[in-house]
Amino acid sequence: MDRSEYYGAASRLTYVAHFFGLTALILILIWLLHYRGGLNYESNNPNLVFNVHPFLMFFSLIFLGGEAMMAYKTVGAAHNVKKTVHMLLHLLAIVLAIVGISAAFKYHDMIYKEDVYSLHSWIGITTICMFCLQWVFGFFTFMFPKASIPTRNKFKPWHLCGGRALLYMAICAALTGLLEKSTFLQLSPHQHESRLLNFTGLAILFFGIFVDLSVALGYYTLYSHY
């Protein structure tokens, strides 16, 4: 395959990624609106406050994060345009993720429950902290004031690998969160809600896999001439 064929394959994989991403988004909304009563950060009902958390954490770090990665590596546009969209989508993801995490803390305060006690919360807190550091590092290295060209070339593969790792960390946090919530609700394996959560988890995982594949092929397209 020449470089154009790899680029075409990467672009086609984004369609598959979008299918799973939108499927996961729809399934999460069905779960929260139909089975869990909706979501409202300002509600006096702690369950409605909590429901903001899974929606925003998926939509921010996973969905928008994946979109930002694909926008930079697989979209045919000017380099500066792709870089700006990549940066802004990640910034929006950080803002929404902070709101999502605050919803979880607010929920715990409302029901007098301890914070950051589970593996899910440890993975989630670690992910958002590293996500922020990755954004700050990327902004100052590649956007403003910009490092030298040799320095940018040196750190670009590390930035790419870090982004891919953070996507999987966010997915890991989401899957452990769904499992934790299912256990907390004491759902039986044969309930419709339980199966819905399983399908949601699979859609999230496959979204991440196809985002990663498209980004990897897009990266190979850029550097295959070496």
Side-chain angles (χ1 to χ4, degrees):
M1 295 176 72
D2 60 26
R3 293 177 64 193
S4 62
E5 289 178 298
Y6 280 112
Y7 184 83
S11 297
R12 287 190 293 273
L13 284 175
T14 63
Y15 292 109
V16 184
H18 281 107
F19 169 78
F20 284 112
L22 292 173
T23 298
L25 185 62
I26 292 169
L27 291 178
I28 287 176
L29 287 173
I30 291 173
W31 174 49
L32 295 175
L33 297 176
H34 179 70
Y35 289 97
R36 296 290 106 208
L39 55 162
N40 184 352
Y41 188 89
E42 300 298 333
S43 174
N44 293 322
N45 184 338
N47 292 320
L48 298 187
V49 173
F50 172 82
N51 290 345
V52 174
H53 174 70
F55 173 74
L56 283 185
M57 298 315 293
F58 165 74
F59 187 70
S60 61
L61 298 186
I62 298 175
F63 188 78
L64 287 181
E67 290 293 330
M69 294 168 67
M70 291 188 292
Y72 185 71
K73 285 297 180 184
T74 65
V75 174
H79 178 71
N80 286 337
V81 172
K82 294 193 294 184
K83 190 161 65 170
T84 301
V85 170
H86 177 77
M87 181 271 294
L88 290 176
L89 284 176
H90 273 133
L91 179 60
L92 178 60
I94 289 172
V95 173
L96 293 178
I98 291 172
V99 177
I101 288 179
S102 69
F105 283 112
K106 183 177 180 181
Y107 167 74
H108 289 162
D109 289 341
M110 293 174 76
I111 65 171
Y112 305 103
K113 190 174 184 178
E114 185 180 356
D115 293 316
V116 195
Y117 64 91
S118 65
L119 177 61
H120 160 68
S121 60
W122 286 21
I123 295 172
I125 291 294
T126 302
T127 301
I128 184 61
C129 290
M130 293 181 66
F131 201 99
C132 292
L133 289 175
Q134 168 90 339
W135 188 89
V136 170
F137 170 80
F139 182 82
F140 286 107
T141 304
F142 302 107
M143 293 293 295
F144 182 83
K146 277 189 181 181
S148 64
I149 292 177
T151 301
R152 295 203 305 269
N153 289 336
K154 178 181 179 180
F155 284 111
K156 191 178 295 182
W158 292 100
H159 185 70
L160 172 71
C161 290
R164 293 166 69 185
L166 284 170
L167 178 64
Y168 280 114
M169 288 179 67
I171 290 171
C172 185
L175 298 186
T176 54
L178 290 176
L179 179 61
E180 182 180 305
K181 189 63 176 179
S182 178
T183 303
F184 180 78
L185 294 172
Q186 297 182 328
L187 300 177
S188 71
H190 302 295
Q191 284 183 248
H192 292 310
E193 184 175 358
S194 180
R195 290 174 176 168
L196 177 66
L197 290 179
N198 288 344
F199 280 116
T200 302
L202 284 175
I204 292 172
L205 178 60
F206 281 120
F207 173 71
I209 289 172
F210 282 100
V211 167
D212 189 46
L213 288 174
S214 67
V215 168
L217 282 175
Y219 182 80
Y220 183 81
T221 300
L222 294 176
Y223 292 95
S224 61
H225 62 285
Y226 290 126

